[in-house]
Amino acid sequence: MAKLFSVAQIKEWDNYTIQHDPVSSINLMERAAYACTDWIKEYYDSSKAFIIFCGRGNNGGDGLAIARLLLESQYRVLVYVVGEKSGSRDFEKNLDRLNSVSNAIYFLNEEKPFPAIGKEIVIDALFGTGLHKKPEGIFSDLIAHINKNKLFTISIDLPSGLFADASSAGNEIIHADYTLSFQSWKLAFVMPENAKYVGHPVILDINLSPDYYNKESSQFEMTDVRFIREIYKRRKPNSNKGNYGYACLLAGSYGMMGAAVLSARSCLRSGVGKLTCYNPEIGYNIIQTAVPEAMCKTFGIKVLEKTSGYSDFEAIGIGPGIGDSDSHKDLLKDLFENYQQPIVIDADALNVLSKNKFLYDFIPSKSIITPHPKEFERLFGKSDSDFDRVQLALTKSKELDIYIVLKGHHTFIATPEGKGYFNNTGNAGMATAGAGDVLTGIITGLLAQKYSSLEACQLGVFLHGLAGDFAATAISEEALIAGDIIDYMGKCFKEIANISLKH
């Protein structure tokens, strides 16, 4: 699990490393510059030319050090220092070092025109994580100039103008193609509103103290394969289907039985021992044909009506394709009152909840809801930014004692304990009809296998995204459909179990 530290914690981490390594602040800056330069040299040979724009803080100091290291490796580099105030101590030291190897250092102020840029690559080192107010004056104008000319840009630490752990709405912000950041992900990188600024984030190791990282807690973390392997439960050789749970899915209606099929197939692929589908009568032949491994019981003709008999199930999921029927508020209320274990609630069931908010009080403790942003908005109201939406999810998670899986590129899991987890698998190809139904089936199946609600969310979201990544690699993001995610579930389990895929 990778921790996402706040700006204050990042500063403390730097200071802790300086005190305990020990290493001077200028040499820590040199580590960062070497890491960036090594990455640049790996992808761009010396035929490429660079223009580096440096502010006068430590981010600008990084830029000056990168310029010197590139020049020493025979790259063509122009440096522009922006602003008239004196710089930080380490900025001034690196300016002296750069002056000893280059005459191509220029100073920009309000009176001087911006340089013409041709095919050079821009390196943005104006502002880093220390930025706490919107850029103004020459800085704002320069950022707009770079963006307007659609220049290929590499940002150092953060795209200039972007706040690390708060919304930057209204700021002039660099549109980076790559962002080279240090040691750990920043909260800004996982917010959808910032995707157009961050480009491709690259996290570079600069050997900050592991002791600080290990002892310092963080409100937000990102799941990774090492953590997933820790919670993954291997099958025991001497076992039977009864050892792996009995799940139930309430899904489907006239014209939307595909959602029921997708959620049933993914539930079975998650490893569940048994599955029964509760469908309306029009779906009986469809489920029995498309998912022969699942059992089926019918309630209602074209839409699901009041169901019964929940006691045998170790997990229940509801919502995929059930449609919008007035009778569904009674269906949900009856289910909530008669099944006092965590339930996975998705899709149309969420829309029923949003129209009948009195039902919130009946949701069983530790249940899981899986809204996309629009469904989340209907449930809990509008948010001014993605940062606000994350905080609202945490508030509602605690208030209702449920887990909220807010779907998106870095799907966010809000917990009643106040912790938040971001996922780092998945791709744009998964923005396709039915992908959410697949996730519902996976999480329901894992819940039935005695994973805790949090573990089912973490493992389910990770598997879902990883299967989508394997599918996109094989057939492209554009051609990917929801069923492909299910087809690659087996490869995901092999990856997580660390079993060689070679025969």
Side-chain angles (χ1 to χ4, degrees), residues 30 33-34 36-37 40 50-54 59-81 94-95 97-99 101-102 104-105 123 125 156:
E30 194 79 353
Y34 266 105
C36 291
T37 305
I40 291 167
F50 294 85
I51 292 183
I52 304 181
F53 292 101
C54 299
N59 191 249
D62 291 335
L64 297 175
I66 292 166
R68 172 172 46 81
L69 294 173
L70 287 174
L71 285 165
E72 289 172 354
S73 295
Q74 309 307 310
Y75 284 77
R76 289 172 292 150
V77 181
L78 294 176
V79 175
Y80 287 86
V81 175
N94 268 312
L95 184 59
R97 290 178 179 181
L98 182 59
N99 270 317
V101 298
S102 174
I105 306 171
I123 295 180
I156 306 303

Side-chain angles (χ1 to χ4, degrees), residues 23-38:
V23 60
S24 65
S25 60
I26 189 70
N27 285 338
L28 189 59
M29 187 176 285
E30 194 79 353
R31 287 186 196 175
Y34 266 105
C36 291
T37 305
D38 287 345

Side-chain angles (χ1 to χ4, degrees), residues 146-446:
I146 293 169
N147 289 338
K148 180 181 178 181
N149 288 279
K150 301 187 185 317
L151 303 170
F152 190 91
T153 305
I154 300 171
S155 287
I156 306 303
D157 204 14
L158 282 173
S160 290
L162 191 70
F163 299 142
D165 51 13
S167 178
S168 309
N171 290 8
E172 197 73 60
I173 306 168
I174 286 285
H175 289 219
D177 294 278
Y178 286 91
T179 298
L180 307 185
S181 198
F182 307 120
Q183 208 66 47
S184 66
W185 282 73
K186 311 300 186 285
L187 190 58
F189 294 170
V190 295
M191 296 297 177
E193 67 186 63
N194 292 333
K196 62 184 176 182
Y197 308 123
V198 175
H200 300 282
V202 179
I203 310 302
L204 302 172
D205 186 356
I206 59 170
N207 296 316
L208 294 182
S209 171
D211 291 339
Y212 179 89
Y213 181 88
N214 292 333
K215 73 180 182 65
E216 183 72 9
S217 62
S218 61
Q219 183 180 19
F220 300 107
E221 300 189 27
M222 180 174 286
T223 53
D224 56 28
V225 70
R226 290 173 296 177
F227 170 77
I228 291 298
R229 282 175 179 153
E230 289 177 6
I231 66 172
Y232 164 68
K233 301 174 182 177
R234 289 178 181 271
R235 292 203 168 207
K236 295 185 171 95
N238 185 21
S239 58
N240 58 66
K241 65 184 179 183
N243 297 117
Y244 300 108
Y246 188 7
C248 177
L249 285 169
L250 283 67
S253 61
Y254 183 78
M256 292 193 286
M257 284 306 299
V261 170
L262 288 167
S263 58
R265 289 186 59 224
S266 63
C267 185
L268 289 162
R269 287 291 187 192
S270 75
V272 74
K274 289 193 299 181
L275 171 64
T276 289
C277 297
Y278 281 11
N279 309 122
E281 287 183 19
I282 57 92
Y284 180 80
N285 289 335
I286 295 170
I287 285 290
Q288 294 283 267
T289 303
V291 196
E293 299 89 349
M295 295 170 282
C296 181
K297 291 183 72 173
T298 61
F299 300 86
I301 298 173
K302 288 189 174 183
V303 297
L304 268 172
E305 296 178 0
K306 188 176 178 181
T307 57
S308 62
Y310 307 123
S311 60
D312 290 339
F313 303 123
E314 279 134 318
I316 293 177
I318 183 171
I322 64 172
D324 186 6
S325 171
D326 289 340
S327 65
H328 284 156
K329 66 177 180 293
D330 297 322
L331 173 68
L332 278 177
K333 187 171 184 290
D334 180 73
L335 174 61
F336 293 166
E337 289 180 327
N338 289 284
Y339 189 77
Q340 291 300 305
Q341 297 183 58
I343 297 170
V344 183
I345 309 165
D346 183 36
D348 292 324
L350 295 176
N351 294 328
V352 174
L353 277 177
S354 67
K355 294 175 183 177
N356 300 277
K357 291 185 169 54
F358 75 93
L359 290 172
Y360 292 6
D361 294 334
F362 295 92
I363 301 173
S365 173
K366 303 300 185 286
S367 288
I368 300 163
I369 67 171
T370 58
H372 57 58
K374 278 295 181 185
E375 290 167 338
F376 183 86
E377 182 179 305
R378 288 193 286 268
L379 286 164
F380 304 121
K382 289 187 177 182
S383 301
D384 292 332
S385 70
D386 291 325
F387 288 85
D388 290 342
R389 186 177 292 112
V390 161
Q391 290 301 327
L392 181 59
L394 289 168
T395 298
K396 292 301 180 181
S397 177
K398 182 177 181 180
E399 181 182 307
L400 300 174
D401 194 27
I402 61 174
Y403 292 86
I404 300 177
V405 176
L406 183 55
K407 293 182 287 195
H409 176 47
H410 292 288
T411 291
F412 177 67
I413 302 166
T415 74
E417 297 75 30
K419 287 271 292 187
Y421 300 89
F422 290 92
N423 184 59
N424 200 26
T425 58
N427 60 82
M430 298 174 71
T432 185
D437 303 317
V438 172
L439 179 61
T440 299
I442 294 170
I443 295 176
T444 303
L446 295 172

